[in-house]
Amino acid sequence: MSPADRFDWDAWPLIPAVVQNPVTNQVLMVGFMNREALERSVSTGHVTFYSRSRQTLWTKGETSGNSLQIQELRINCEENSLLVLAHPHGPTCHTGHQTCYFRRIEPDGSLTDISDGNVEPDDASSEAEVSRLWYGAYEYLRDNDLSEVSGTSKRLGDPDFPFETRIADELRELAGVLDGTHSHDGLIDDVLLEGSQIIYWITCLLIRDRIEWEDIRPDIALGAGSESVENVAAGLRADAETWLTEEPTADHGVSTLGLVATACRAAHIDPFALIRRDLDDLKTRDYLTPYFEHTQ
């Protein structure tokens, strides 16, 4: 009998998998596995989860390199969950912390950092932390009805809002900025304007559809390289048509973010500046104060 045969997958198609460091006994993270994810974890020796929003397998560390090497698997008494003892190669949390559970919730709801021996985040993990904070602000606007003070909150609560059309329109305008057929205030300002609009509309659509940050990783998507301006403009226009004709997916969102990043680099702009600028603006919104107070 294989480890996967111990579970009744008809009754429990997905099982929670708690990952624990066998040396320190720290709980590192929690994910979900289906049969295939567990079988791959066993065959490779590295933890693989199943993404519920993207509906595909993902191996921890496949982008960051911070994998989890399995030492032992343990099953609970009801045989519907898994404890994975695994050695972490690098920090488990995208913030650079050894564990995702590095904050204690105080009685008043505030958070206290209780970690020790944290890994100092490098530039990449810092960008991950910033983009997670930024993405979470839009999730907060979705999960709390602030439609009286926030147009974004209102749109996120509207299942029929035509986000795809807005994305396509802005993609065409960014293409026009790059090839000189659409201009306002000069190349750099216009790329920042149109690029920010594209990222905004994509983010709203994905968050409305409950696509998780882990399935988008905007910090990674915006690490695209540069091409010639002409190629970028053509790619943006082609992508605009795709948003109007195909069902939106997380993968399509990632691909479009890469195009926006490429457009920024063609104009000698740091693509991640789009997120930092928007995050700075979000922090000025009084209705988001509770969110930022509880995430600091």
Side-chain angles (χ1 to χ4, degrees):
M1 176 182 291
S2 72
D5 291 333
R6 297 299 322 185
F7 295 91
D8 183 351
W9 298 104
D10 291 330
W12 306 97
L14 289 176
I15 58 170
V18 180
V19 182
Q20 183 180 30
N21 186 322
V23 176
T24 66
N25 291 325
Q26 260 186 335
V27 174
L28 300 176
M29 68 177 297
V30 176
F32 288 85
M33 292 185 183
N34 61 3
R35 172 186 276 275
E36 186 179 0
L38 179 54
E39 289 175 342
R40 182 176 296 185
S41 296
V42 171
S43 65
T44 64
H46 290 87
V47 175
T48 295
F49 295 111
Y50 179 81
S51 170
R52 291 170 293 172
S53 58
R54 195 170 53 179
Q55 297 186 347
T56 189
L57 302 183
W58 66 280
T59 299
K60 180 70 177 76
E62 61 189 356
T63 56
S64 66
N66 300 327
S67 62
L68 294 166
Q69 185 175 355
I70 298 172
Q71 173 180 296
E72 183 179 321
L73 300 177
R74 298 182 184 178
I75 194 169
N76 70 322
C77 57
E78 295 183 343
E79 299 192 348
N80 58 8
S81 68
L82 191 66
L83 175 64
V84 182
L85 302 184
H87 296 282
H89 294 280
T92 297
C93 185
H94 70 275
T95 63
H97 289 80
Q98 298 284 9
T99 169
C100 291
Y101 298 92
F102 61 90
R103 296 175 296 176
R104 180 178 63 229
I105 302 178
E106 305 295 353
D108 63 358
S110 62
L111 300 176
T112 300
D113 191 324
I114 58 171
S115 59
D116 57 5
N118 294 345
V119 176
E120 186 67 25
D122 56 18
D123 289 342
S125 60
S126 296
E127 289 188 351
E129 187 172 4
V130 168
S131 71
R132 184 67 188 91
L133 180 66
W134 165 77
Y135 199 83
Y138 286 98
E139 291 176 319
Y140 180 87
L141 291 172
R142 177 198 64 198
D143 297 338
N144 295 272
D145 185 3
L146 299 170
S147 55
E148 291 186 1
V149 293
S150 169
T152 298
S153 183
K154 183 177 182 179
R155 285 185 282 271
L156 289 171
D158 181 356
D160 299 317
F161 190 88
F163 287 116
E164 297 89 342
T165 300
R166 295 298 182 91
I167 294 169
D169 288 344
E170 298 297 340
L171 283 166
R172 295 190 193 100
E173 291 190 3
L174 180 56
V177 168
L178 294 178
D179 65 16
T181 60
H182 180 84
S183 63
H184 296 291
D185 302 312
L187 178 63
I188 292 178
D189 286 342
D190 287 353
V191 169
L192 287 171
L193 172 64
E194 305 300 348
S196 295
Q197 287 294 313
I198 294 168
I199 288 179
Y200 170 78
W201 292 119
I202 288 176
T203 300
C204 286
L205 182 149
L206 296 174
I207 285 178
R208 183 195 64 183
D209 292 348
R210 299 194 171 274
I211 303 299
E212 298 175 1
W213 174 86
E214 289 82 1
D215 296 319
I216 300 298
R217 287 303 301 269
D219 54 305
I220 295 174
L222 290 174
S226 61
E227 301 175 10
S228 70
V229 171
E230 292 77 13
N231 287 340
V232 178
L236 290 165
R237 288 197 171 90
D239 194 45
E241 298 308 311
T242 304
W243 278 102
L244 296 175
T245 57
E246 296 184 5
E247 191 73 19
T249 64
D251 287 342
H252 192 183
V254 170
S255 175
T256 301
L257 289 179
L259 278 175
V260 172
T262 302
C264 287
R265 296 188 187 281
H268 306 291
I269 298 169
D270 175 11
F272 202 75
L274 301 178
I275 285 181
R276 292 189 184 277
R277 283 159 54 96
D278 192 36
L279 179 59
D280 288 342
D281 180 67
L282 291 169
K283 287 181 176 180
T284 68
R285 311 292 178 168
D286 291 342
Y287 49 81
L288 283 171
T289 298
Y291 167 74
F292 288 112
E293 285 183 344
H294 285 83
T295 53
Q296 298 305 314

